[in-house]
C-alpha cells in the first residue's frame, strides 16, 4: 500500500514550520477509519467525568477525553506510525501523549462553536507546559466538509507566540478556553487568511499547539467527529499537577510505534 507512510519529507516539515499545520487527506484508509468509528457510540454513552457536555439545556456531548486509554482502537491510533513518526519529526524529539479527546460535533445545531484560541494557552497556564513543543493531531472520523462546521485555522499564526487571553471561558465544565480578542483575530486573519480543513474520514491534520483555530456550530444534519491525539515532547514534560490524567497525562514515557497495519491487523 502506498501511503505517506511513516516519514515526512523536508517539504512537509517546512510547510508545517511555516504554516503551523500539515494536512494529509486520507492518511488513514476507509477501513482504518471504520475501525475507529465503531467505538464512537460507546464513547458517547460513557458516564464518567471524562465526558464534557455542551453548556445550557442542550447537553449534547462536546468532548470525550481519554479514548486512547479506554479503547483498544484509539490506543493503537495513538501509537500508529503514520501519526507518531511524523509528530516526532515535527517536534524533533521523542513524544508522549499529553491528552486525547474526541469532539463529536453532532449535527442539527447540537455541536457548539469553538471560539478562536490556541491550545497551548491552557497547557502552558494550567498544565505547566514550558515550551510550545506539542503537536495536536486531528484525525477525522467523519467526512469534514464546508457545511458540517469544519475546523478552521489561521495559517502562520503560531509565529505570533502565545497571545494574551481575554478571558478564561468556562463554557464547558473542566475545560478552560482562553479566547483570543477580536482585534487580534482581525489582524491575524487579515494578514494570513483563514483556512477550513476539509477531507474524507481518515484525513489527518498535524497542528502546532500555538496555531489559532476554532469552528462554528454544526447546523448541518451530519455529525463532524474529530479525534484529537495531542502529543508533547518528552523534554517538555508538563510540571503542573492540578488537572486529572485525561487532561494532563503524567506518564512521560516515550511512545514506541506499532506496525503500520496495527488498526486492521
Ligand atoms: O473540533 C473543533 O471544532 C475545535 C476543537 C478545538 O478547538 C479544541 O479542542 O481545541
Amino acid at each position: 500500500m502506498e501511503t505517506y507512510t511513516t516519514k515526512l519529507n523536508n517539504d512537509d516539515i517546512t510547510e508545517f514550520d511555516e504554516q503551523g499545520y500539515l494536512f494529509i487527506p486520507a492518511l488513514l484508509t476507509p477501513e482504518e477509519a471504520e475501525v475507529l468509528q465503531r467505538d464512537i457510540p460507546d464513547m458517547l454513552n460513557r458516564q464518567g467525568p471524562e465526558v464534557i457536555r455542551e453548556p445550557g439545556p442542550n447537553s449534547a456531548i462536546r468532548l470525550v477525553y481519554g479514548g486512547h486509554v479506554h479503547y483498544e482502537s484509539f490506543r493503537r491510533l495513538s501509537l500508529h506510525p503514520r501519526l507518531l513518526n511524523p509528530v516526532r519529526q515535527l517536534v524533533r524529539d521523542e513524544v508522549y501523549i499529553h491528552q486525547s479527546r474526541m469532539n463529536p460535533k453532532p449535527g442539527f445545531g447540537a455541536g457548539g462553536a469553538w471560539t478562536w484560541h490556541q491550545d497551548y494557552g491552557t497547557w502552558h497556564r494550567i498544565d505547566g507546559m514550558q515550551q510550545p513543543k506539542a503537536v495536536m493531531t486531528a484525525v477525522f472520523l467523519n467526512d469534514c466538509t464546508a457545511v458540517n462546521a469544519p475546523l478552521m485555522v489561521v495559517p502562520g499564526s503560531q509565529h505570533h507566540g502565545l497571545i494574551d487571553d481575554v478571558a478564561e471561558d468556562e463554557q464547558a465544565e473542566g475545560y478552560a478556553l482562553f479566547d483570543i480578542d477580536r482585534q487580534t483575530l482581525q489582524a491575524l486573519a487579515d494578514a494570513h487568511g483563514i483556512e477550513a480543513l476539509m477531507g474524507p474520514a481518515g484525513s489527518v491534520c498535524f497542528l502546532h499547539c500555538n496555531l489559532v483555530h476554532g469552528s462554528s456550530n454544526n447546523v448541518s444534519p451530519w455529525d463532524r467527529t474529530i479525534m484529537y491525539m495531542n502529543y508533547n515532547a518528552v523534554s517538555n514534560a508538563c510540571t503542573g499537577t492540578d488537572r486529572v490524567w485525561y487532561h494532563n497525562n503524567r506518564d512521560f514515557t516515550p511512545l514506541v510505534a506499532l506496525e503500520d497495519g496495527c488498526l486492521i491487523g
Side-chain angles (χ1 to χ4, degrees), residues 63 101 103 105 114 117 119 136 151 175 213 215 224 226 228:
L63 290 173
R101 54 177 188 254
N103 178 353
K105 187 78 96 169
W114 289 80
H117 66 282
D119 280 38
M136 305 152 61
L151 181 65
Y175 189 84
H213 62 282
S215 63
R224 193 238 59 186
I226 295 180
Y228 292 90

Side-chain angles (χ1 to χ4, degrees), residues 1-6 24-40 71-84 139-143 200-204 225 227 229 258-265:
M1 174 174 66
E2 199 190 350
T3 65
Y4 282 82
T5 65
T6 57
I24 306 184
L27 181 62
L28 301 180
T29 64
E31 293 73 27
E32 289 170 320
E34 203 188 312
V35 169
L36 301 169
Q37 286 159 359
R38 277 186 220 134
D39 280 326
I40 296 176
Y71 297 88
E72 177 62 13
S73 61
F74 291 113
R75 184 189 75 83
R76 290 176 183 229
L77 178 68
S78 73
L79 300 174
H80 201 294
R82 272 174 261 154
L83 264 60
L84 194 51
V139 181
F140 292 8
L141 300 185
N142 297 127
D143 296 347
S203 300
V204 175
T225 309
M227 183 72 178
M229 289 287 171
L258 299 173
E259 296 296 316
D260 194 71
C262 60
L263 276 177
I264 46 174

Side-chain angles (χ1 to χ4, degrees), residues 123-161:
W123 299 345
H124 179 64
R125 294 173 179 122
I126 298 182
D127 297 336
M129 189 182 284
Q130 297 305 307
Q131 301 289 327
K133 280 187 72 180
V135 167
M136 305 152 61
T137 62
V139 181
F140 292 8
L141 300 185
N142 297 127
D143 296 347
C144 297
T145 71
V147 302
N148 66 349
L151 181 65
M152 296 182 288
V153 300
V154 180
S157 52
Q158 83 284 2
H159 293 304
H160 296 262

